[in-house]
């Protein structure tokens, strides 16, 4: 570990020995601004007398453009300095010059304006008066300004949005820079202006008010940057003056000028004094502001500090570019905010870009290189991009700085999906592997197999193969495109490497390398012609500029001219290699077909067509045949004169293949059950070629449907048809139907074609349905996929967009077909993948699993599309939705999207489907575990969790889903009470536990709907059910509680059992809290809604027993009487007979009220009929007393709601208030001391001059930030240098 060095307490500037020298007229100040009026050290501290500070406060600025201290330029009368800078209409130099002129006339008044400028820039509405400036200390002034801060909003100028405020920030920074630049010869050395400003900014930077802290830190850092520039100029002047002084002293006595030597000596001395002054100012800012604020709680403040220290190190490297300052950047690279990490990297880029500074960065590079390399994988892409760019600069500065492991960690990023990161990694790769030139490369030929690009192309191929990501060639080419497009466009060298014989002593490309080279060549051609990144990288196509369009056309011309000649030769050479042919045959898609005519390349076109025909006749691989089909399609453009030649060649090829298929099919079908393998292979090969061409070409004139249907029908009858023949026959038949539909849709079909198409389509659907029941899995998957596509194409959607003429073609599946499709999904999609590997090659097994999962996802998506487009009943989706949790990782996105789409179609039906899926799972659990299952079992908890997930999909807008949620509860309640208990009467119904699952949806009910659902629930309950408190009845208890929770009616009592004949529940007027949501006033009879009336009007059945009223009070012990408030209603309850179960206390608002008694007395038991009679009588009395209260209660409630709404509308809510003063202390002081000790921070106090007493450090703690909250643990206890 590198030993930590002490932080230098002073800035060190190179100084020469004190020797006499002469003056230099170029560096002299003609106005004498370098001459100082006096000297004093900045480190002094004290308070100026009131008379000295205020001796001229009553004076007025007398500058040429100022009246009463305010700017008059451009007609801006009586504008403050803040307003002038905010408007930005005046040149900043003139604004500063006006202020300097005012300062020379009355420095206290001008300085007071500057102080108010910083206060106003912080967003504070207060202002520092002359009395405050004369008599108060900095800490008192800041405290006073904090009290006057406007807390209505947390925004302040530096954080406000809009172009005006963005311009203000730049004007603010520019003002500070220009101010120091204009004052650098005299004013900043007057022991007053800079001392006061630095003291003020240091005090503000310690404020707990974020606006003060942010604004003052930015101002202090920009002030520091301006001072660094002044110090740099002083250093240059010092060097020049010293050189002149030495030259004058070295002259002979006769030629030496004593006066000039003395003048240069005095000038050097004065520059030394100025340099000391600037050094003290910078030390004050660095230790008073930077040391504390680079660890501030606000990321923006930390970013400002790191950005500026990078500027200092780059601007004045002799003083700042050392480990004492670099360590702050290194530490902050562990910051938890990407914005700060990004500033660290950009600051370092400016340093590494200058190669003269590399020697000073060696120690930093060795210490923090690993951190920079790890940041290439940063979660923030912007940070990762800059980290890669920084490593590229490090690589350029020193080849030995990065190890091979470091480089390899960057190499793989060329395959990243984020294009800026991939491009940065591509540039790194190019600099590392391709930018180094050998001594003998200048003598190499510019073209051909031995040119320099050929060697670089080989290097690219080697890298591509070593990365073992052969399917991502397009990503590699796109990553290198910006920096190596000339190399990737050297198709001539690529063709030479593939066709030319190797020279003596040259190593020949292997078969694998040739395949990789062809893939890279194809990707480069595609990138050049399409001019957009590959799929998955980039946000779609962009509009090309005129220059890019011209380059695109030129590249297509070159590609056509070059490959029109070379492609036939390449096809001939690799005619037996399927992988190479598949890529080579894609090249004609990017040809400019007009070049064949204008360039007189017809003979090469003929050669190309012959080679493609030979490939079709020799190969049976699907990829190769489809590539041949696309090649003919690309060349068959009727707009060009070559169309006739291509059409003739295509027709001849298809005539030959279809005639061959018809002949072989007749022989094959005549053989019956004894089919010959050679004949089957011939039929399959020919059928593959026809299917591949039928995908892109219309073969309707050959009428293939009849023979294909015969082949499929024979396969069903015999049952021994090879599966590949059946699969391709189904596919080809499907293409035939779609081509017929295209002709009918365009109106180009003959009369009777629609009738034929309808018959063929229905026959094909029936054929696919029959193949769903076969044994072979691959055949069933193909039949299912094609059947889903046909059902979707020929659904009711076919008549949309003005195609009503196609209405006879609509085909809707019957219930049996829907059941078979659903059964196929359940049997072949929702299955667990075999954990055992099919082969010893683990990598191959993983690839196989991924492909199998992709196939199952396609099958599920095909069926879900039928649900979404109403081709099958939405209720069939219940079998899909119930698998949401079990197969979340595999199909969660598909199922969730299906639920979302079905909800958009029909909310109520979707809700019924969701509850149906839960009911199916519940029944499956009962069949497995029995009716005595444990509600804490994994199966039941899984169903409940699924219900919770379903509930979340309904969103937050309860009004939109009101009817759907209510219907869901209705179906759930009916299901819960549907089956009686298998243990006999007195036990809960079989599905009672389902109410526990249903309670997950209670939170989605509106308050009035909860009462309606509760009424509907009570229709299914008996009097005895309400009295039960055993564990087996807990689902009912918890469900009722979930319906009563949050309801406006707090006294849901036993009387609700007979509420169908009149409501007896009392209502309690509540005063809404300030933070509660706005509640709409409701009518007393809101529970008698339309839905409730519909539900309650159902006839009573044996499965829906009438609930009798049940008393709430189930204990024989009476409560103490409670005095009712006037606004409370009265709820009467009858004490019941003594019960064996323990006493269950009631909520306070539902306690029964009785007359005061000295001691509780047991009540005599009453039979059931007496209870009902007593309750009816009590209800009549209660209604009479409540009648006169309802109007006043309703008025009070309306008034409280109105007041609540007014407070919300006027912004008076307490929860909405956001205090602008924030506590930035994020940990205890002891922890900070331990942390600072481990990080070797130098937090030395700053001694400022007596012009202004700065705020005591003990008042606001030295550090308002816990580095542990922004930095990783790896940096907290590790000394950096």
């Amino acid at each position: 570990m590198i030993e930590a060095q002490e932080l230098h307490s002073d800035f060190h500037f190179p100084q020469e020995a004190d020797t006499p020298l002469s003056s230099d007229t170029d560096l002299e100040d003609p106005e004498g601004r370098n001459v100082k009026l006096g000297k004093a050290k900045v480190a002094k501290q004290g308070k100026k007398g009131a008379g000295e500070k205020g001796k001229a406060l009553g004076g007025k600025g007398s500058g040429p453009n100022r009246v009463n201290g305010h700017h008059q330029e451009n007609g801006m009368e009586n504008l403050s300095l803040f307003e002038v800078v905010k408007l930005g209409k005046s040149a900043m130099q003139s604004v500063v010059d006006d202020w300097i002129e005012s300062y020379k006339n009355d420095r206290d008044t001008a300085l007071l304006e500057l102080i108010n400028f910083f206060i106003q820039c912080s967003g504070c509405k207060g202002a520092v008066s002359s009395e405050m400036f004369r008599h108060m200390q900095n800490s008192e002034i800041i405290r006073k300004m904090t009290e006057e801060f406007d807390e209505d909003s947390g925004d302040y100028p530096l954080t406000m949005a809009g172009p005006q405020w963005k311009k203000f920030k730049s004007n603010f920074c520019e003002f500070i820079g220009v101010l120091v630049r204009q004052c650098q010869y005299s004013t900043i050395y007057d022991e007053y202006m800079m001392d006061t400003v630095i003291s003020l900014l240091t005090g503000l930077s310690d404020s707990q008010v974020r606006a003060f802290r942010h604004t003052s830190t930015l101002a202090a850092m920009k002030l520091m940057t301006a001072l660094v520039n002044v110090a740099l100029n002083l250093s240059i002047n010092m060097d020049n003056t010293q050189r002149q002084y030495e030259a004058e002293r070295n002259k002979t006595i006769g030629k030496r000028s004593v006066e000039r030597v003395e003048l240069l000596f005095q000038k050097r001395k004065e520059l030394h004094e100025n340099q000391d002054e600037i050094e003290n100012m910078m030390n004050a800012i660095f230790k008073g502001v930077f040391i504390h604020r680079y660890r501030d709680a606000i990321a923006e403040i930390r970013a400002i500090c790191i950005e500026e220290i990078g500027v200092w190190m780059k601007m004045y490297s002799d003083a700042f570019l050392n480990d004492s300052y670099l360590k702050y950047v290194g530490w902050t690279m562990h910051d938890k905010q990407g914005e700060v990490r990004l500033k660290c990297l950009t600051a370092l880029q400016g340093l590494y870009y200058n190669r003269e500074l590399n020697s000073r960065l060696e120690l930093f590079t060795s210490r923090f290189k690993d951190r920079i390399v790890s940041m290439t994988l940063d979660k923030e892409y912007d940070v990762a991009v800059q980290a890669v760019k920084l490593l590229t600069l490090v690589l350029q500065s020193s080849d030995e700085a990065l190890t091979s492991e470091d480089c390899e960690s960057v190499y793989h990023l060329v395959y990243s999906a984020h294009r800026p990161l991939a491009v940065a990694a591509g540039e790194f790769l190019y600099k590392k592997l391709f930018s180094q030139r050998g001594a003998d490369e200048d003598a190499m030929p510019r073209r051909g197999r031995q040119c320099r690009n050929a060697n670089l192309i080989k290097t690219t191929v080697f890298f591509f193969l070593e990365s073992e990501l052969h399917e991502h060639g397009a990503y590699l080419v796109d990553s290198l495109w910006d920096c190596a497009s000339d190399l990737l466009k050297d198709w001539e060298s690529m063709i030479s490497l593939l066709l030319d014989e190797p020279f003596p002593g040259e190593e020949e490309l292997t078969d694998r390398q040739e395949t990789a080279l062809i893939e890279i060549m194809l990707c480069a051609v595609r990138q050049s012609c399409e001019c957009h990144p590959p799929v998955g990288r980039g946000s779609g196509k962009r509009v090309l500029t005129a220059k890019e369009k011209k380059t695109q056309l030129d590249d297509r011309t070159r590609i056509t001219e070059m490959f029109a000649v070379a492609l036939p030769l390449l096809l001939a050479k690799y005619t037996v290699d399927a992988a190479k042919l598949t890529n080579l045959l894609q090249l004609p898609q990017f040809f400019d077909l007009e070049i064949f005519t204008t360039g007189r390349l017809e003979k090469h076109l003929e050669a190309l067509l012959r080679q493609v025909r030979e490939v079709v006749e020799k190969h049976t691989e699907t990829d190769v045949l489809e590539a041949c089909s696309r090649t003919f399609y690309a060349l068959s453009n009727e707009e060009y004169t070559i169309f006739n030649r291509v059409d003739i060649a295509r027709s001849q090829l298809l005539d030959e293949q279809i005639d061959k298929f018809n002949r072989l099919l007749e022989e094959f079908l005549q053989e019956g059950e004894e089919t010959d393998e050679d004949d089957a292979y011939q039929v399959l090969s020919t059928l593959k070629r026809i299917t591949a061409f039928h995908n892109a070409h219309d073969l309707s004139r050959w009428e293939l449907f009849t023979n294909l249907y015969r082949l499929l029908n024979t396969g069903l009858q015999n049952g021994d048809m090879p599966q590949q023949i059946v699969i391709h026959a189904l596919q080809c038949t499907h293409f035939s139907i779609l081509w017929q539909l295209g002709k009918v849709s365009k109106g180009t079909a003959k009369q009777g074609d629609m009738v034929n198409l309808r018959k063929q389509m229905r026959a094909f659907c029936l054929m696919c349905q029959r193949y769903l029941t076969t044994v072979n899995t691959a055949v069933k998957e193909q039949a299912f996929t094609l059947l889903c596509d046909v059902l979707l194409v020929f659904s009711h959607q076919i008549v949309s967009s003005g195609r009503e003429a196609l209405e006879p073609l609509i085909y809707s599946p019957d219930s049996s077909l829907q059941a078979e499709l659903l059964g196929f999904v359940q049997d072949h999609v929702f299955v667990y993948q075999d954990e055992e590997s099919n082969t010893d090659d683990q990598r191959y097994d993983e690839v196989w699993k991924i492909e199998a999962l992709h196939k199952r996802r396609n099958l599920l998506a095909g069926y879900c599309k039928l649900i979404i487009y109403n081709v099958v009943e939405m209720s069939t989706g219940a079998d899909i939705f119930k698998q949401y949790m079990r197969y979340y990782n595999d199909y969660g996105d598909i199922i969730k999207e299906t639920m979302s789409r079905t909800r958009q179609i029909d909310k109520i039906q979707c809700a019924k489907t969701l509850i149906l899926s839960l009911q199916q799972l519940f029944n499956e659990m009962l069949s497995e575990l029995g009716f005595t299952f444990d509600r804490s079992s994994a199966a039941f908890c899984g169903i409940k969790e699924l219900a919770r997930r379903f509930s979340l999909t309904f969103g937050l807008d309860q009004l939109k889903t009101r009817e759907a949620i209510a219907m869901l509860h209705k179906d759930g309640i009916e299901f819960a009470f549907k089956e009686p208990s298998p243990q006999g009467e007195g036990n809960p119904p079989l599905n009672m536990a389902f109410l526990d699952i249903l309670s997950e949806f209670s939170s989605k009910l509106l308050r009035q709907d909860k009462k309606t659902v509760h009424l509907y629930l009570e229709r299914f309950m008996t009097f005895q059910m309400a009295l039960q408190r055993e564990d087996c009845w807990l689902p009912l208890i918890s469900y009722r509680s979930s319906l009563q929770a949050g309801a406006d009616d707090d006294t849901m009592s036993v009387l609700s059992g007979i509420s169908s004949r009149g409501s007896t529940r009392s209502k309690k007027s509540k005063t809404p809290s300030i933070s509660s949501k706005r509640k709409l006033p409701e009518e007393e009879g809101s529970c008698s809604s339309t839905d409730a009336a519909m539900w309650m009007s159902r006839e009573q059945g044996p499965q829906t027993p009438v609930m009798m009223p049940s008393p709430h009070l189930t204990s024989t012990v009476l409560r103490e009487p409670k005095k009712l408030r006037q606004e409370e209603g009265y709820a009467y309850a009858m004490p019941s007979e003594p019960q064996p179960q323990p006493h269950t206390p009631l909520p306070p608002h539902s306690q029964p009220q009785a007359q005061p008694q000295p001691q509780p007395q047991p009540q005599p038991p009453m039979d059931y009929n007496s209870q009902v009679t007593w309750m009816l009588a009590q209800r009549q009395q209660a209604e009479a007393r409540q009648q006169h209260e309802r109007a006043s209660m309703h008025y009070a409630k309306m008034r409280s709601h109105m007041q609540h709404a007014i407070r919300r509308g006027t912004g008076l809510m307490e929860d909405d208030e956001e205090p602008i003063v924030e506590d930035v202390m994020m940990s205890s002081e002891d922890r900070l001391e331990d942390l600072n000790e481990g990080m070797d921070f130098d937090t030395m106090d700053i001694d400022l001059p007596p012009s202004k007493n700065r705020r005591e450090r003990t008042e606001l703690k030295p550090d308002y930030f816990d580095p542990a909250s922004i930095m990783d643990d790896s940096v907290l206890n590790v000394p950096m240098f």
Side-chain angles (χ1 to χ4, degrees), residues 42 132 405 476 498 501 544 559 682 705 805 928 935 1128:
V42 179
M132 295 169 59
E405 291 79 8
L476 174 61
L498 293 171
E501 293 295 329
L544 302 180
I559 290 169
Q682 291 293 331
F705 181 85
E928 294 178 3
R935 284 189 291 112
E1128 289 185 354

Side-chain angles (χ1 to χ4, degrees), residues 123 280 599 602 611 686 693 733 773 785 816 868 917 921 976 1205:
N280 290 334
E602 289 86 353
Q611 290 299 329
T686 309
F693 273 83
T733 308
T773 59
T785 303
S816 62
I868 292 172
S917 65
L921 288 175

Side-chain angles (χ1 to χ4, degrees), residues 726-907:
V726 176
I727 290 174
H728 285 86
L730 288 171
Q731 186 73 59
C732 194
T733 308
H734 178 242
F735 290 149
S736 177
I737 292 175
L738 294 182
W739 279 107
Q740 288 286 350
L741 176 61
K743 293 174 64 176
V744 171
S745 301
K746 294 178 182 178
T748 59
K750 300 178 182 178
Q751 189 175 4
D753 285 351
M754 184 176 293
V755 177
N756 264 342
L757 175 59
R758 186 171 183 271
K759 292 179 180 179
Q760 291 177 2
M761 179 267 296
R762 292 177 176 268
F764 178 71
C765 290
L766 181 60
M767 184 68 66
C768 290
Q769 182 178 358
R770 295 169 64 187
Y771 268 106
L772 285 177
T773 59
T774 57
V775 178
N776 193 282
T777 303
V779 173
K780 289 193 289 186
E781 290 176 351
Q782 180 76 340
F784 176 83
T785 303
L786 298 178
L787 187 56
C788 289
D789 288 346
V790 171
L791 291 177
L792 187 61
V793 171
F794 289 92
S795 66
H796 56 87
Q797 306 281 345
I798 198 174
V799 298
S800 60
S801 302
R803 293 175 298 191
E804 290 77 7
L806 301 180
E807 185 177 357
L809 297 177
I810 295 178
Y811 178 68
S812 300
D814 55 16
S815 57
S816 62
L817 178 55
Q818 295 186 32
E820 289 188 32
L821 291 173
L822 181 59
F824 177 87
V825 172
Q826 293 175 332
D827 296 338
H828 294 83
V829 174
F830 297 110
V831 293
Y832 286 105
Q833 209 159 23
D834 189 5
E835 297 294 338
E836 299 180 358
S837 300
N838 295 343
T839 177
D840 295 336
D841 190 349
Q842 188 67 24
R843 180 184 170 192
Y844 176 82
D845 183 61
E846 290 298 326
V847 172
W848 177 84
K849 287 183 177 180
I850 293 175
E851 291 179 351
L853 175 60
H854 182 65
K855 183 184 297 184
R856 293 198 302 272
R857 284 175 59 85
N858 285 337
L859 295 175
L860 177 61
Y863 184 77
C864 288
K865 284 190 291 186
L866 299 182
I867 299 176
I868 292 172
Y869 289 99
N870 289 327
V871 179
V872 298
E873 295 292 336
M874 190 180 295
S875 59
T876 60
D879 293 275
I880 307 297
F881 298 160
K882 71 180 182 183
Q883 309 290 350
Y884 181 62
M885 289 291 296
R886 188 179 304 174
Y887 295 93
Y888 181 81
N889 292 333
D890 294 341
Y891 318 117
D893 55 337
I894 300 176
I895 299 177
K896 187 175 182 180
E897 182 65 19
T898 305
M899 285 191 288
S900 176
R901 295 293 187 89
T902 53
R903 185 174 292 113
Q904 295 174 11
I905 297 171
D906 190 338
K907 294 183 179 66

Side-chain angles (χ1 to χ4, degrees), residues 23 195 212 237 343 346 422 458 473 484 617 643 939 976 1069 1162 1214 1266:
S23 67
D195 302 344
F212 280 152
N237 290 342
K343 293 297 183 182
T346 53
K458 289 181 182 179
E617 293 173 349
F643 172 74
S1069 177
E1214 291 182 0
D1266 178 10

Side-chain angles (χ1 to χ4, degrees), residues 313 321-330 351 360-361 364:
M313 289 186 289
L321 189 55
N322 54 62
D323 301 331
S324 298
Y325 301 102
L326 281 170
K327 65 182 180 182
Y328 296 108
V329 181
L351 302 177
R360 304 183 187 181
L361 295 168
F364 178 85

Side-chain angles (χ1 to χ4, degrees), residues 221 290 293-295 299-313 325 327-333 335 339-348:
M221 293 299 100
F290 179 88
R293 298 283 68 80
Y294 94 99
R295 297 179 296 154
E300 295 176 357
I301 299 178
R302 303 198 299 272
I304 290 172
C305 295
I306 296 303
E307 182 180 13
E308 293 306 315
I309 197 175
V311 175
W312 308 336
M313 289 186 289
Y325 301 102
K327 65 182 180 182
Y328 296 108
V329 181
W331 285 338
T332 316
M333 283 195 296
D335 197 283
E339 176 187 359
V340 184
R341 298 194 301 272
L342 185 63
K343 293 297 183 182
C344 294
L345 295 173
T346 53
L348 292 173

Side-chain angles (χ1 to χ4, degrees), residues 117-124 142 149 154-161 165-166 168-170 172-173 176 200-223 289-290 292-294 296-308 339-340 343 1220-1222 1224 1264:
F117 168 71
F118 289 117
I119 296 296
Q120 292 173 357
C121 288
S122 302
C124 181
I142 295 174
F149 220 102
D155 291 334
Y156 50 95
L158 292 185
T159 60
M160 289 183 181
W165 296 111
K166 290 182 179 179
F168 166 78
K169 182 176 181 180
S170 63
F172 177 73
C173 299
I176 296 174
L200 174 71
L201 295 179
T202 304
L204 288 174
S205 68
D206 275 341
S207 174
Q208 290 185 338
V209 179
R210 172 178 176 174
F212 280 152
R213 214 164 64 251
H214 187 183
T215 307
S216 61
T217 302
L218 176 62
M221 293 299 100
K222 292 298 180 181
L223 184 65
V289 180
F290 179 88
H292 307 292
R293 298 283 68 80
Y294 94 99
D296 195 274
I298 306 302
E300 295 176 357
I301 299 178
R302 303 198 299 272
I304 290 172
C305 295
I306 296 303
E307 182 180 13
E308 293 306 315
E339 176 187 359
V340 184
K343 293 297 183 182
I1220 197 166
V1221 179
E1222 62 185 25
V1224 295
Y1264 290 103

Side-chain angles (χ1 to χ4, degrees), residues 1009-1023:
D1009 291 343
K1010 285 185 178 181
K1011 294 182 287 188
T1012 305
V1013 173
H1014 191 271
L1015 289 175
Y1016 191 71
L1017 172 67
E1018 290 177 342
R1019 290 192 56 214
F1020 291 81
M1021 296 173 57
T1022 62
F1023 175 70

